[in-house]
């Protein structure tokens, strides 16, 4: 039986054809354990363990669409080609066998280089305007043809996800990668219909991607879009400085076919617009839900004492209280909560939360990144 204070986390949730037993989502986390882009038995077993231990919805690590320079590390999985798709079929079959639900996160890195390796793709790196950050050239500006092919590659990947039996798909539109490079005025200097002075104009590429995905999966299949204000190129960057700007950004994307907005923050408890509703005000997912009416997923340092950026420079994290999270879920600020590192290092995290087994909660150590536990 769940201890009363975590009950809000263990309420079922439904969006279109996706029925979830609880509110906990495994956040998408790149693991780079797929040689030649093919996820093997070890990857399937890693996700199956999370399904066996009660994760409501698993989002896969970023897995790339069929564009020549869509990835920036050699062991990032493909979501195209017979071999990789057979690997993903094993993943979803094992997850379903353990009673779980899962969607792949469809990704194109744009012009962002990996900070883990020096590897570069054989084909030219591509981005909206040949920039990786404001004033920092990297990659070729995409032609009309490259844009059209990319949009249709997202659609093909989504159709494959549905055909293989996945329960949803997530489009990665966050963290300074390709789609976000279109959103961001600092990296989108285009003067055609994919650029412009307003966020709404620069959201056109994302809207076309969403439409392509929606067309591929039909009306009842839930489509998630992950977005962020922050970029790995600039943690302080913001696309929307006001609720009006946020509505201008997100409402058209929901109209284009997004069912769930996955609002990436590094710390879920931080107010998005504290000047309006105070330091304890709505977070990003809270505002996105209020402004669009769409379901939302929040994320960021759940159950841990420090944020994930520190993990990449070797910082460890201690288990932290879930009280603030529970209070926000109880008032329906957002619908679902994604958990990253706590689930990366401990497949049994959800069961421990439900049973109140706080003594066996683990610290997060960056050493966990080296293996698939
Ligand atoms: C090792 C690692 C890999 C990640 N890879 C991705 C990714 O492929 N796609 C993505 O959208 N976010 C990625 N993230 C961000 C996480 O999804 C999540 O937003 C972040 O870790 C914050 O959640 P946490 O504090 O619970 O870990 C990654 C994070 C980590 C730690």
């Amino acid at each position: 039986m769940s201890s009363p204070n975590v009950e809000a986390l263990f309420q079922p949730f439904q969006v279109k054809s996706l029925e979830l037993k609880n509110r906990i989502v495994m956040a998408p986390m790149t693991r780079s354990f797929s040689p030649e882009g093919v996820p093997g038995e070890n990857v399937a077993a890693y996700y199956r363990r999370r399904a066996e231990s009660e994760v409501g919805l698993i989002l896969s690590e970023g897995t790339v669409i069929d564009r020549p320079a869509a990835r920036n590390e050699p062991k990032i999985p493909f979501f195209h080609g017979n071999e990789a798709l057979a690997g993903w079929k094993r993943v979803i079959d094992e997850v379903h066998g353990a009673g779980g639900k899962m969607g792949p996160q469809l990704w194109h890195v744009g012009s962002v280089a990996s900070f883990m390796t020096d590897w570069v793709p054989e084909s030219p790196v591509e981005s909206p305007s040949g920039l990786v950050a404001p004033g920092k050239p990297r990659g070729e500006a995409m032609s009309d043809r490259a844009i059209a092919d990319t949009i249709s590659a997202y659609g093909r990947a989504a159709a494959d996800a549905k055909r293989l039996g996945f329960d949803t798909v997530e489009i990665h539109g966050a963290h300074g990668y390709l789609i976000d490079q279109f959103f961001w005025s600092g990296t989108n200097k285009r003067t055609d219909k994919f650029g412009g002075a307003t966020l709404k104009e620069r959201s056109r590429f994302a809207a076309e991607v969403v439409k392509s995905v929606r067309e591929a999966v039909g009306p009842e299949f839930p489509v998630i879009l992950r977005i962020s204000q922050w970029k790995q190129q600039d943690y302080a960057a913001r696309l929307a400085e006001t609720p009006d700007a946020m509505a201008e950004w997100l409402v058209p994307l929901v109209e284009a076919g997004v069912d769930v907005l996955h609002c990436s923050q590094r710390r879920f408890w931080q107010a998005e617009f504290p000047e309006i509703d105070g330091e304890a005000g709505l977070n990003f997912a809270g505002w996105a839900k209020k402004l669009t009416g769409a379901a939302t997923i929040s994320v960021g340092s759940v159950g841990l004492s420090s944020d994930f950026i520190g993990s990449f420079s070797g910082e460890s994290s201690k288990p932290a209280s879930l009280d603030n999270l529970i209070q926000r879920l109880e008032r329906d600020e957002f619908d679902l909560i994604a958990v990253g590192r706590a689930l990366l290092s401990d497949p049994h995290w959800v069961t421990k939360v439900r049973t109140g087994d706080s003594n066996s909660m683990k610290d997060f150590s960056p050493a966990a990144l080296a293996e698939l536990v």
Side-chain angles (χ1 to χ4, degrees), residues 27-30 62 105 172 175 226 299-301 308 312 340-341 369:
M29 283 176 289
T30 291
Q105 188 191 48
H172 192 345
H175 305 172
R226 196 170 217 215
V299 66
S301 304
F308 87 103
F312 291 114
R341 291 161 299 153
L369 299 175

Side-chain angles (χ1 to χ4, degrees), residues 44-254:
Y46 162 79
Y47 288 118
R48 189 194 63 228
R49 285 192 285 278
R50 275 73 191 164
E52 282 167 351
S53 289
E54 308 182 54
V55 173
L57 174 64
I58 297 169
L59 294 172
S60 80
E61 60 204 286
T63 172
V64 298
I65 61 164
D66 188 9
R67 283 290 297 168
R71 60 184 190 158
N72 61 5
E73 287 179 28
K75 292 186 185 170
I76 287 174
F78 293 131
F79 208 80
H80 57 87
N82 291 341
E83 248 193 298
L85 292 178
W88 283 117
K89 172 85 178 123
R90 170 166 38 204
V91 170
I92 188 58
D93 287 350
E94 292 207 18
V95 164
H96 281 165
K101 300 281 167 84
M102 182 169 186
Q105 188 191 48
L106 305 180
W107 192 22
H108 183 315
V109 300
S111 57
V112 174
S114 165
F115 56 90
M116 309 292 274
T117 81
D118 295 332
W119 184 87
V120 283
E122 279 167 26
S123 307
V125 166
E126 59 186 4
S127 61
S129 303
L131 297 170
V132 61
K136 241 182 118 183
R138 188 166 193 266
E140 294 180 350
M142 290 168 81
S143 65
D144 288 353
R145 206 166 149 189
I147 289 182
D149 186 63
T150 303
I151 291 168
S152 75
Y154 278 103
R156 291 196 302 277
D160 283 333
K162 187 176 176 194
R163 181 174 57 78
L164 295 181
F166 282 95
D167 305 286
T168 181
V169 284
E170 174 167 285
I171 302 165
H172 192 345
H175 305 172
Y177 295 110
L178 183 68
I179 292 176
D180 203 16
Q181 292 185 333
F182 276 90
F183 286 141
W184 196 17
S185 60
T187 45
N188 183 347
K189 303 290 177 195
R190 299 182 73 95
T191 51
D192 63 2
K193 65 181 185 185
F194 294 107
T198 66
L199 186 47
K200 188 170 177 187
E201 289 167 300
R202 297 189 306 275
S203 297
R204 173 141 189 178
F205 176 74
E208 302 269 323
V209 168
V210 170
K211 281 188 209 154
S212 166
V213 164
R214 174 57 69 207
E215 222 164 87
V217 297
E220 282 309 307
F221 192 82
V223 172
I224 307 172
L225 175 67
R226 196 170 217 215
I227 44 176
S228 63
Q229 297 263 34
W230 66 271
K231 329 275 157 230
Q232 61 186 290
Q233 299 92 325
D234 178 359
Y235 298 137
R238 292 182 89 192
L239 297 173
E241 296 280 0
T242 62
D244 282 352
M246 188 175 279
E248 213 186 275
W249 173 31
L250 300 181
V251 169
L253 297 173
V254 170

Side-chain angles (χ1 to χ4, degrees), residues 205-364:
F205 176 74
E208 302 269 323
V209 168
V210 170
K211 281 188 209 154
S212 166
V213 164
R214 174 57 69 207
E215 222 164 87
V217 297
E220 282 309 307
F221 192 82
V223 172
I224 307 172
L225 175 67
R226 196 170 217 215
I227 44 176
S228 63
Q229 297 263 34
W230 66 271
K231 329 275 157 230
Q232 61 186 290
Q233 299 92 325
D234 178 359
Y235 298 137
R238 292 182 89 192
L239 297 173
E241 296 280 0
T242 62
D244 282 352
M246 188 175 279
E248 213 186 275
W249 173 31
L250 300 181
V251 169
L253 297 173
V254 170
E255 285 170 357
V258 170
D259 301 300
V260 182
L261 290 164
H262 186 173
C263 301
S264 172
Q265 284 185 272
R266 289 161 57 195
R267 302 174 196 91
F268 75 86
W269 58 88
Q270 285 183 341
E272 188 59 40
F273 300 114
E275 64 282 10
I276 295 176
D277 56 1
E279 294 297 335
L282 296 179
N283 72 8
F284 181 17
W287 276 102
K289 183 175 163 83
K290 178 178 160 132
L291 293 168
T292 66
T296 60
I297 308 175
S298 187
V299 66
S301 304
V302 170
L304 290 175
S305 60
S306 66
D307 82 75
F308 87 103
I309 299 297
S311 303
F312 291 114
S313 51
E315 197 181 329
S316 294
S317 262
K318 299 237 163 272
S321 157
L322 297 176
D323 291 353
N324 186 318
L325 171 67
I326 306 284
Q327 284 160 16
R328 286 172 190 262
L329 269 177
E330 281 173 349
R331 39 175 208 256
D332 282 331
E333 181 173 335
F334 41 80
D335 303 286
L336 300 167
I337 185 71
V339 178
R341 291 161 299 153
L343 271 171
L344 183 154
S345 58
D346 186 357
H348 307 298
W349 187 85
V350 179
T351 306
K352 290 177 184 176
V353 168
R354 186 177 56 75
T355 57
D357 184 8
S358 52
N359 287 339
S360 60
M361 290 288 191
K362 295 182 178 169
D363 290 3
F364 176 81

